[in-house]
Amino acid sequence: AQSVTQLDSHVSVSEGTPVLLRCNYSSSYSPSLFWYVQHPNKGLQLLLKYTSAATLVKGINGFEAEFKKSETSFHLTKPSAHMSDAAEYFCVVSDPNQAGTALIFGKGTTLSVSS
Amino acid sequence: GAGVSQSPRYKVAKRGQDVALRCDPISGHVSLFWYQQALGQGPEFLTYFQNEAQLDKSGLPSDRFFAERPEGSVSTLKIQRTQQEDSAVYLCASSLAPRQTYNEQFFGPGTRLTVL
């Protein structure tokens, strides 16, 4: 069975400071891992994905995540937060080897950015 | 370019009423998924189609939930005799192929269902 745990339900940062959203996963095989962002009243947007090609993954809008197998972690970071980054973020795990496999979402982390 | 679209965006139903939610996937996408997102939670899987075949419906919470994709493109999620616990955002997602190295799914904006 697969699962993800997002360690913080809410993270608050000031504009221009670093962002760290933490995610741990559980999987019995080498998983695919994703981060999605959801802005209010908008659809889920893929930020980045890990597919075993490289452990440090760069995504859109300056976000990146590092896959650490020994720690079973896939934390999302950004060097400098922007007001437009305020949104809900989901860490997601999937089995890349099964056809039509559903994505397994964490409960989400709400990122607030203050000026 | 056209993404995944869903209609209606908002639906208010009285308890006991039947509702139908529509999803238009990206053209040519073989796989289609439905998810349910309760308030303050992450989306949870409901059902999966590969073309017109419903290959997995293990996430449907009860037999009041029914989904179809008769021609392998547009899909409809139907909920019969709605209950208050059905209130949620229903998300549709599509992906290009049934088997991919990373299974990227593209999501629609969702339908927010409120059952009174």
Side-chain angles (χ1 to χ4, degrees), chain B residues 39-95:
Chain B
L39 188 64
Q41 301 294 316
E44 294 188 352
F45 170 77
L46 293 177
T47 187
Y48 162 65
F49 290 86
Q50 182 178 319
N51 295 307
E52 69 279 2
Q54 188 175 21
L55 299 186
D56 187 349
K57 52 183 180 180
S58 62
L60 296 177
S62 78
D63 58 8
R64 296 185 294 104
F65 286 70
F66 171 76
E68 59 183 6
R69 193 186 185 198
E71 297 180 358
S73 55
V74 171
S75 177
T76 303
L77 177 66
K78 298 179 179 178
I79 308 173
Q80 297 177 324
R81 305 180 302 282
T82 52
Q83 303 294 314
Q84 285 188 323
E85 61 263 28
D86 300 334
S87 295
V89 175
Y90 290 85
L91 296 167
C92 177
S94 69
S95 66

Side-chain angles (χ1 to χ4, degrees), chain A residues 9 38 88 90 106-110, chain B residues 37-43 88-89 112:
Chain A
S9 59
Q38 187 175 39
E88 189 79 12
F90 293 98
K107 292 186 182 297
T109 298
T110 302
Chain B
Q37 185 177 16
L39 188 64
Q41 301 294 316
V89 175
R112 182 178 298 276

Side-chain angles (χ1 to χ4, degrees), chain A residues 41-60:
Chain A
N41 299 315
K42 292 191 176 181
L44 286 157
Q45 181 183 19
L46 180 67
L47 275 179
L48 50 79
K49 56 183 179 279
Y50 166 75
T51 60
S52 77
T55 56
L56 182 62
V57 181
K58 294 188 183 298
I60 62 171

Side-chain angles (χ1 to χ4, degrees), chain A residues 32 34 36 38 41-44 46 49-51 90 94-103 105-108, chain B residues 9-10 31 33 35 37 40-45 48 50 91 98-109 112:
Chain A
S32 291
F34 310 81
Y36 279 84
Q38 187 175 39
N41 299 315
K42 292 191 176 181
L44 286 157
L46 180 67
K49 56 183 179 279
Y50 166 75
T51 60
F90 293 98
S94 175
D95 178 0
N97 298 311
Q98 280 205 15
T101 301
L103 300 179
F105 285 77
K107 292 186 182 297
Chain B
R9 291 292 311 280
Y10 303 91
S31 295
F33 300 79
Y35 294 83
Q37 185 177 16
Q41 301 294 316
E44 294 188 352
F45 170 77
Y48 162 65
Q50 182 178 319
L91 296 167
R99 182 176 295 276
Q100 287 184 287
T101 55
Y102 51 81
N103 193 25
E104 179 175 354
Q105 297 179 19
F106 298 85
F107 284 82
R112 182 178 298 276

